Amino acid sequence: MLLSEYLHTLPLYHIADLYDTLYQPSVPHAYTEDEYRQAVVSYWNNPQNWDALVGALSVTERQTLTRLALQERCEIDAFLEELNSIGLVVLHREVNRFVVPDDVRVWLLERLPSLQDRLQAQEQADPDGTTPV
């Protein structure tokens, strides 16, 4: 499932809430359902918005997003609720599970550090044999 497909499953009020959360307009807009959907998809198609999101995350949140992108199990917590409120995660509360749209997963994997990057980032010992702090 892609983000645009997921948005077709949501009622108008939910898509309008996503729009308001992402764009935070000072004056409320009255768009059609398609215009709201397109605005949400356009927001997430902008690489600057992804960079801002990833830059604002804590280390723990980045780890959670990496786990989500790799399709690992995660506990549904306040962070996943926030991701749901900006349209990146689909929560199915009645069965206690979630889905990350495929294009969101790809966007995350492009921006989050890979396992290889993490391994290369291990601290190197100084010439005197000590490890920097």
Side-chain angles (χ1 to χ4, degrees), residues 9 22 29-30 37-38 40 64 83 100 104 113 120 129:
T9 67
L22 294 173
H29 294 280
R37 279 191 203 102
Q38 184 57 41
V40 171
T64 300
L83 293 176
V100 179
V104 170
Q120 290 174 355

Side-chain angles (χ1 to χ4, degrees), residues 60-75:
T60 308
E61 292 168 339
R62 284 179 191 229
Q63 290 171 345
T64 300
L65 276 185
T66 301
R67 291 178 59 206
L68 288 173
L70 295 173
Q71 297 180 323
E72 294 180 9
R73 289 187 147 194
C74 294
E75 182 178 313

Side-chain angles (χ1 to χ4, degrees), residues 6-24:
Y6 160 59
L7 294 175
H8 280 283
T9 67
L10 299 177
L12 176 60
Y13 73 88
H14 194 145
I15 300 168
D17 286 346
L18 286 175
Y19 175 86
D20 290 342
T21 301
L22 294 173
Y23 287 99
Q24 299 179 2

